[in-house]
Amino acid sequence: FGGHADMRFPPDTFYADFSNNSFTTVTFKRHNAAYENLQVVDLSNNQIDQDASEVFLNIPPNLEKLILSGNKIRGEFPDPFPSLGNIRRLEIANNNIKGPLPDFSRATPRIKELDLSNQRQTQDGGLAGTISPDFSRLDDLSSLNLAFN
């Protein structure tokens, strides 16, 4: 499958795996039957070539896992980062995101696994700046990967 991935699903949908395809863009729709029920979205290993602020626009609030690794997501994280109070696993490795880290302690307080590794897919990519001491407030965090930035 390819082209645009429109994240609209029937009301009882809680899991969506669109990995290993050729999607180039993605949107989440706030007024969608499954918006509140969606818990897992896997869009890894596609061709998503979109600004990070667009990808994170209207992210369903009850997601527990969001996997976006292996795409071409670019630009900086949105500021402020969207509130994802239930997220436990967030994987965005192997993209082209640059700039500072957002305050994950406010937006993702229950996160256990965070993988932001390998953002240097282009010459101007890569996370930069300092690692905020706010990471120490993420009490449930057991895995943090910031390698190759």
Side-chain angles (χ1 to χ4, degrees), residues 35 57 86 97 119-120 122 128 133 136 138:
Y35 185 73
L57 187 65
N86 290 331
I97 298 173
Q119 298 301 320
R120 292 184 297 183
T122 63
S136 67
L138 294 168

Side-chain angles (χ1 to χ4, degrees), residues 2-3 6-7 21 29 37 50-51 77 86 90 98 104 108 117 122 146:
D6 189 351
M7 299 284 113
N21 284 290
K29 301 292 184 185
N37 295 329
Q50 199 171 0
D51 192 82
F77 283 113
N86 290 331
L90 181 58
K98 63 182 180 179
F104 286 106
T108 63
S117 64
T122 63
L146 299 174

Side-chain angles (χ1 to χ4, degrees), residues 110-144:
R110 297 182 60 212
I111 196 156
K112 290 184 73 146
E113 299 174 54
L114 179 59
D115 187 350
L116 305 173
S117 64
N118 201 22
Q119 298 301 320
R120 292 184 297 183
Q121 301 294 311
T122 63
Q123 277 189 324
D124 67 339
L127 299 172
T130 61
I131 298 172
S132 170
D134 292 334
F135 270 97
S136 67
R137 293 197 323 236
L138 294 168
D139 293 335
D140 294 338
L141 188 66
S142 60
S143 175
L144 173 62

Side-chain angles (χ1 to χ4, degrees), residues 6-9 13-16 26-43 54-68 81-90 107-108:
D6 189 351
M7 299 284 113
R8 292 186 202 199
F9 304 102
T13 306
F14 68 93
Y15 179 89
V26 60
T27 55
F28 293 90
K29 301 292 184 185
R30 188 169 277 167
H31 303 289
N32 162 7
Y35 185 73
E36 298 289 333
N37 295 329
L38 207 52
Q39 295 175 8
V40 178
V41 173
D42 187 346
L43 284 157
E54 294 172 5
V55 173
F56 283 95
L57 187 65
N58 296 324
I59 288 282
N62 294 317
L63 279 181
E64 294 178 12
K65 292 182 186 178
L66 178 60
I67 306 169
L68 297 167
F81 195 77
S83 180
L84 298 170
N86 290 331
I87 200 91
R88 305 296 275 164
R89 180 174 167 197
L90 181 58
T108 63

Side-chain angles (χ1 to χ4, degrees), residues 23 25 72 89 100:
F23 291 110
T25 57
K72 299 175 184 177
R89 180 174 167 197

